[in-house]
Amino acid sequence: VIITKLLPTPFPSQKPITMSGNDVMLSKEQENDADVRRVDQERIGRFGRLNARLHEARSEREELKKKMERVEDASTELMMGAGDRVSVRLGDAFFETSEEEATERCENIVEGLQAEVDGLDEEVDGIVAEQEELKVLLYARFGSSINLEESGPPRA
């Protein structure tokens, strides 16, 4: 989240000057001299916290999907077995069980992981919706003087 309030350019006809990376100097017409009120600060702070949680939730979701894929692969391997007893790891210990019980356990783990992934998907959707509401409010107040996008120049 970036708020930019830049000094006027010495030449009004001058176009925005790219300074480095995503920093853009705004032309006089693009500047917004709106004061930052407490409610604006709270909205910007809320947006930042939501953005941090959004990245965390997406990362957690990817880790859960990888774990779920590994468990599904193990379940598939169990189905290809000859009906023998198998060793299953539970924490730091291994115990022997039938392929059927191990497969059932894998299926239960996958169901639990899928429920967690679904919960994170709902959380991500809620965060994105709230961020969109905050974007509307903040862009209406600050125009192109604020950048709430992941990357790129401020919105026009």
Side-chain angles (χ1 to χ4, degrees):
V1 179
I2 303 170
I3 294 183
T4 318
K5 200 166 198 180
L6 301 172
L7 298 173
T9 59
F11 306 102
S13 62
Q14 196 174 15
K15 294 182 180 180
I17 300 170
T18 302
M19 298 174 78
S20 67
N22 294 333
D23 299 334
V24 175
M25 188 170 187
L26 301 176
S27 68
K28 188 72 172 171
E29 302 83 43
Q30 291 175 316
E31 279 188 30
N32 185 339
D33 289 332
D35 291 328
V36 180
R37 303 173 300 190
R38 179 157 182 81
V39 68
D40 299 327
Q41 291 174 348
E42 290 170 357
R43 287 175 179 158
I44 292 166
R46 176 74 179 147
F47 187 90
R49 287 187 301 277
L50 286 171
N51 201 45
R53 179 59 192 142
L54 177 65
H55 289 283
E56 289 173 8
R58 285 179 174 164
S59 177
E60 288 174 27
R61 181 181 178 276
E62 291 307 311
E63 289 300 316
L64 287 173
K65 288 189 90 153
K66 287 177 187 175
K67 187 175 182 179
M68 191 167 57
E69 188 175 311
R70 287 192 304 267
V71 173
E72 286 173 338
D73 289 346
S75 180
T76 301
E77 289 292 323
L78 285 169
M79 288 182 204
M80 293 180 182
D84 300 332
R85 296 191 60 80
V86 294
S87 292
V88 177
R89 185 174 127 192
L90 183 60
D92 292 335
F94 287 89
F95 65 95
E96 211 172 276
T97 186
S98 68
E99 281 185 15
E100 184 179 308
E101 288 175 4
T103 302
E104 184 178 323
R105 177 158 173 71
C106 287
E107 289 170 358
N108 290 339
I109 291 171
V110 167
E111 287 175 13
L113 291 172
Q114 185 61 51
E116 287 183 58
V117 167
D118 293 343
L120 286 170
D121 285 342
E122 288 177 23
E123 182 181 0
V124 165
D125 291 344
I127 289 171
V128 169
E130 188 173 348
Q131 281 185 320
E132 288 301 318
E133 291 173 19
L134 288 169
K135 280 182 183 182
V136 168
L137 296 169
L138 291 168
Y139 279 129
R141 175 96 170 113
F142 296 105
S144 60
S145 294
I146 189 168
N147 181 8
L148 301 172
E149 304 305 320
E150 287 293 321
S151 63
R155 219 170 149 187

